[in-house]
């Protein structure tokens, strides 16, 4: 009989637990040691040795990710080990549902995998996901399945000292440093960070802790400048929420300000927030959530009786009146006077403060005037400038609308927009040349000054004029040249940078998208040059996606770029061609399938797999003859996933280690698994032959025999259910 308390719940095999323990050790080494150190790789090599022992019995090790930890075939891995629980939670926090370690996994690939685990979840999402990051780092023997993020908005249980977490593993409540990160993520337009920030702002304790701790020194109160920046950032993030939620969130921020220590609250409001509110309507919205009595009580807190203090109080009351916190300025001044009298200030001090806050008369300096005679010429010039018959009613003539427009002010964008309109309508040669010359020198300012809406309108007008058969040929050519000025690489760099900064649903982002759509194929070449110079991986991924959406009608323009000598440039072009999913890209991809760099060939395999066409399937089969093991492995995997029945013969050759190309264990095992997925009955005798094979190096063939056994089981199950589809 088992002793009391002994658990009979199923557990993962010992080898699996040893492997995962070693992964945890290697993960700590990756975190603690610099990239040049050999310690992380040495620990990963130990994990690979354990993994190979498991792979001798089966073709792949699959770990399922749950909130409670990792599972192997439904059994928990190290369920009673507290130190391991935090390691397992890192997988869950990065939206992984499955992790598969295939045959051929190397120590370098495990180090790269664990390096991605160390990345913040937001950075992984920005880079295109965990799987995309694996491919970017050249990891082909480890694959993952990702899930979408869900946020639970339930507040933590009151009175509980234990930290909780959201359903995606986000620790809760967040630290002040984490709230700063959420603000930055929300400002960049990441929906997950916005939802978490809304929850943090709605939670009084979280917001109070955020307001009371400095970003740089834990346990130290922040300065008023740091607090002002935080409140401004919070307000700007909140302004994009729904109106019914926005007011409640702004009120939460206002209450957090009123909940600060009296001295900090006084300094923050009188010296910082009220001044900032005059310049920023969003900050003013926070102040407007406070009652007039609350604000006055805060700015009168512990105020000294010095002239400087009274001067500062006057400025605060003046700012308070200017942001319209009450109905009229008189209401503000009246309430301020009552509050000061209730505070015990003398009537003379009250009058002095209110007079300075709302002066009844303007005082000017006396200026010494010259008493000497003025020259007659200056008087005559003034007379010449006076109108002959001054209008009786100056603002009732036909120029009133023009005066009103001039009073509002003109921007460079307004002037350039008018010049573009005139240029498209001007038939006279000299006048046209003069206007276009001006535009050639200055139209780039529209993008430089982020006048994207005006730039899009100008590009539309110029493009339409360039296509108008009613215009002279030289006029149309000049219009086309102006459009090319807007599409220069410097402009593309600013546009793509702005698209990363502005929210996806903002007018600026929409204007950038419209401008790129109008410029069309002319943006491809400059965007590719910008992409080649971009050092940030996440930015490159975003730009590849962007160019792919623009390149559907420019496959030929892209195809001409595959002859470039820069391998990384060609790889980017191949990724974009694959993103078009257009069969017209296949002739160009056929060229890059023979490229000298294996990374370009690998990207070509991925691109071809995304285009459903018989020619693309033939290219994947041709890739089975690649000299690079990872490329053969990838091609075999795609052929199996796509169920390409015509590839059975080529896959059988790889499985038997025959034919041209890399025939190491990893590609062979991938080909065997692909045969099992395709389920062709004719492959059974090939798999049976591999299963019976024995070699001098039993350890090296044991993995292949295990893969063949698993593939035979899959094939027979498919045959019993109706055969291959």
């Amino acid at each position: 009989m088992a002793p009391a308390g002994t658990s009979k719940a199923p557990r993962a095999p010992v080898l699996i637990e040893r492997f995962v323990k070693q992964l945890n050790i290697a993960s700590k080494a990756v975190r603690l040691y610099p990239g040049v150190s050999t310690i992380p790789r040495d620990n990963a090599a130990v994990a690979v040795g354990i993994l190979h022992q498991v792979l001798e019995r089966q073709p792949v090790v699959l770990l399922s990710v749950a909130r409670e930890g990792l599972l192997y075939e439904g059994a928990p891995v190290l369920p009673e080990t507290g130190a391991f629980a935090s390691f397992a939670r890192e997988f869950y926090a990065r939206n992984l549902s499955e992790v598969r370690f295939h045959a051929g996994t190397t120590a370098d690939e495990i180090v790269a995998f664990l390096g991605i685990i160390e990345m913040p979840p937001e950075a992984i999402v920005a880079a295109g996901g965990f799987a995309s990051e694996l491919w970017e780092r050249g990891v082909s023997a480890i694959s993952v399945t990702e899930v979408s993020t869900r946020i639970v908005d339930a507040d933590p249980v009151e009175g509980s000292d234990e930290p909780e977490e959201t359903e995606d593993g986000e620790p809760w409540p967040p630290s002040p440093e984490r709230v700063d990160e959420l603000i930055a993520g929300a400002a960049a337009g990441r929906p997950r960070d916005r939802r978490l920030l809304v929850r943090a702002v709605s939670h009084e304790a979280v917001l109070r802790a955020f307001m009371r701790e400095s970003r740089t020194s834990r346990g130290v109160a922040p300065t008023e400048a740091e607090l002002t920046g935080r409140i401004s950032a919070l307000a700007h993030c909140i302004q994009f929420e729904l109106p019914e939620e926005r007011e409640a969130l702004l009120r939460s921020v206002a209450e957090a300000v009123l909940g600060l220590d009296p001295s900090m609250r006084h300094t923050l409001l009188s010296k910082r927030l009220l001044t900032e509110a005059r310049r920023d309507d969003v900050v003013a919205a926070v102040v407007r959530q406070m009652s007039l009595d609350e604000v006055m009580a805060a700015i009168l807190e512990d105020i000294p009786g010095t002239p400087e203090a009274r001067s500062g109080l006057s400025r605060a009351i003046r700012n308070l009146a200017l942001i319209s916190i009450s109905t009229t300025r008189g209401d503000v001044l009246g309430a301020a006077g009552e509050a000061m009298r209730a505070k015990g200030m003398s009537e003379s001090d009250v009058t002095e403060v209110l007079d300075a806050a709302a002066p009844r008369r303007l005082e000017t300096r006396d200026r010494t005037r010259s008493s000497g005679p003025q020259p007659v010429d200056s008087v005559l010039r003034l007379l010449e400038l006076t109108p002959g018959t001054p209008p009786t009613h100056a603002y009732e003539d036909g120029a009133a609308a023009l005066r009103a427009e001039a009073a509002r002010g003109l921007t460079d964008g307004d002037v350039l927009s008018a010049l573009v309109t005139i240029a498209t309508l001007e038939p006279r040669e000299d006048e046209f040349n003069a206007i276009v010359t001006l535009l050639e020198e200055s139209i780039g300012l529209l993008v430089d000054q982020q006048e994207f809406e005006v730039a899009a309108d100008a590009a539309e007008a110029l493009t339409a004029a360039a296509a108008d058969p009613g215009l002279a040929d030289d006029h149309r050519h000049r219009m086309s040249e102006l459009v090319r000025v807007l599409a220069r690489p410097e402009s593309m760099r600013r546009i793509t940078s702005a698209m990363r900064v502005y929210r996806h649903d903002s007018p600026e982002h929409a204007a950038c998208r419209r401008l790129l759509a109008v410029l069309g194929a002319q943006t491809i070449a400059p965007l590719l040059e910008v992409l080649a110079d971009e050092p940030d991986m996440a930015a490159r991924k975003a730009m590849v996606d962007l160019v792919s959406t623009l390149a559907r009608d420019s496959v030929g323009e892209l195809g001409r770029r595959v002859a470039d000598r820069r391998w990384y440039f060609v790889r980017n072009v191949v990724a974009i061609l694959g993103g078009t999913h257009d069969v017209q890209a296949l002739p160009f991809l056929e060229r890059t399938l023979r490229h000298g760099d294996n990374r370009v060939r690998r990207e070509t395999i991925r691109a071809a797999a995304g285009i459903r066409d018989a020619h693309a399937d033939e290219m994947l089969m041709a890739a089975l003859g690649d000299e690079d093991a990872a490329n053969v492995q990838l091609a075999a995997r795609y052929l199996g996933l796509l169920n390409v029945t015509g590839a059975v013969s080529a896959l059988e050759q790889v499985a038997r280690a025959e034919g041209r190309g890399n025939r190491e264990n990893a590609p062979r095992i991938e080909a065997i698994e692909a045969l099992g997925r395709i389920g062709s009955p004719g492959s059974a005798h090939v798999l049976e032959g591999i299963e019976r094979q024995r070699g001098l190096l039993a350890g090296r063939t044991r993995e292949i025999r295990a893969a063949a056994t698993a593939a035979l089981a899959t094939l027979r199950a498919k045959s019993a259910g109706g055969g291959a589809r």
Side-chain angles (χ1 to χ4, degrees), residues 292-293 296-297 299-300 313 316-318 320 329-343 345 350 353-354 357:
L292 191 53
D293 292 338
M296 288 307 306
I299 63 178
L300 288 170
L313 182 57
I317 295 172
R318 186 187 310 124
L320 198 56
R329 185 180 66 168
D331 292 338
V332 176
L333 296 176
E338 292 177 7
M340 286 187 287
R341 293 184 186 98
K343 193 71 176 175
M345 292 179 63
V350 171
V353 170
L354 293 180

Side-chain angles (χ1 to χ4, degrees), residues 470-542:
L471 293 180
D473 290 344
D474 58 335
H475 284 209
R476 293 166 59 187
H477 176 72
R478 296 288 295 275
M479 298 294 184
S480 300
E481 291 299 320
L482 285 175
V483 176
R484 291 192 183 92
V485 173
L486 285 173
R488 58 186 179 173
E490 295 82 1
S491 299
M492 293 299 103
R493 188 172 285 107
R494 288 187 173 89
I495 292 170
T496 54
S497 176
M499 292 181 74
R500 292 198 299 272
V501 171
Y502 289 111
R503 291 163 46 91
H504 292 280
D505 55 352
S506 66
E508 292 83 2
H509 197 279
C512 290
R513 290 199 307 270
R514 185 162 72 91
L515 176 57
L516 291 175
V518 172
L519 295 176
Q522 298 188 71
T523 63
I524 300 298
L527 278 175
L528 288 175
E529 292 300 330
V530 174
L531 179 60
D533 297 335
E534 177 58 60
D536 183 67
M537 186 168 54
R540 285 202 307 272
K541 177 69 171 59

Side-chain angles (χ1 to χ4, degrees), residues 26-273:
S27 175
K28 293 176 181 176
V30 169
R31 186 183 308 121
L32 295 174
Y33 292 95
V36 296
S37 173
T38 61
I39 295 176
R41 193 182 184 284
D42 293 342
N43 283 280
V46 176
V48 169
I50 301 170
L51 177 65
H52 284 173
Q53 295 180 51
V54 181
L55 292 175
E56 289 177 355
R57 300 173 174 83
Q58 59 194 63
V60 66
V61 171
L62 189 152
L63 299 176
S64 301
V65 182
R67 182 178 181 180
E68 296 77 16
L70 300 180
L71 305 174
Y72 176 78
E73 295 183 351
V77 180
L78 302 170
E80 300 168 358
T81 308
F84 172 72
S86 59
F87 172 64
R89 195 174 292 118
E90 298 294 332
F91 289 69
Y92 189 85
R94 282 146 186 83
N95 295 331
L96 298 180
S97 64
E98 290 181 345
V99 181
R100 292 174 294 275
F101 296 89
H102 301 268
T105 301
T106 65
D108 290 332
E109 288 181 316
I110 285 184
V111 170
F113 170 79
L114 295 174
I116 303 173
I117 290 288
E118 291 300 313
M119 291 174 61
E122 299 81 9
I124 295 174
V125 173
F130 204 103
S132 175
E133 189 71 12
L134 282 173
W135 285 115
E136 189 71 29
R137 300 191 182 203
V139 179
S140 58
I142 303 174
S143 58
V144 298
T145 302
E146 299 175 76
V147 295
S148 59
T149 302
R150 293 195 309 140
I151 304 298
V152 174
D153 290 329
D155 287 336
V157 180
E158 291 294 333
S160 173
D161 294 330
E162 291 297 323
E164 299 191 0
E165 59 182 42
T166 63
E167 290 237 346
D168 64 344
E170 176 76 27
W172 199 264
S175 64
E177 295 86 354
R178 179 61 181 139
V179 177
D180 277 320
E181 293 173 2
L182 293 177
I183 290 174
R190 291 197 282 270
R192 176 178 181 273
D193 287 351
R194 280 181 56 191
R195 292 194 295 270
L196 280 172
L197 183 62
V198 166
R199 180 183 174 190
V201 173
S202 304
H203 197 282
E204 181 182 351
V206 173
L207 195 55
R208 186 167 57 247
F210 176 62
M211 292 291 193
R212 293 183 176 179
E213 186 168 300
S214 172
R215 180 188 296 114
T216 55
S217 302
R218 189 171 181 83
V220 177
T223 63
E224 63 265 19
E226 186 177 354
L227 266 179
T228 304
R230 285 181 168 184
I231 293 166
S232 176
L234 280 173
H236 278 273
C237 292
I238 288 169
Q239 68 172 324
F240 297 108
E241 300 302 321
L242 296 174
E244 57 269 20
E245 297 178 359
R246 188 188 310 135
E247 292 300 313
L249 294 171
L250 289 172
R251 181 60 192 170
S252 295
V253 177
E255 288 176 350
V257 173
L258 294 172
L260 293 170
D261 294 334
S263 59
M264 175 58 76
R265 183 174 59 219
H266 164 76
T267 306
L268 182 66
L269 273 168
S270 60
K271 294 185 177 179
R272 295 282 182 171
L273 274 188

Side-chain angles (χ1 to χ4, degrees), residues 380-395:
L380 293 176
R381 276 199 298 271
L382 288 174
L383 290 173
E384 290 174 358
L385 292 174
T386 59
T389 55
T392 306
H393 304 288
Y395 293 98

Side-chain angles (χ1 to χ4, degrees), residues 52 60 156 169 239 305 331 348 368 384 402 412 422 427 439 441 458 473 504 520 600 638 642-643 677 722-723:
H52 284 173
V60 66
Q239 68 172 324
D331 292 338
S348 61
T368 305
E384 290 174 358
L402 185 60
D412 292 340
I422 295 171
L439 286 172
E441 296 173 354
D473 290 344
H504 292 280
V600 175
Y638 277 129
L642 297 172
N643 199 23
R677 290 193 192 99

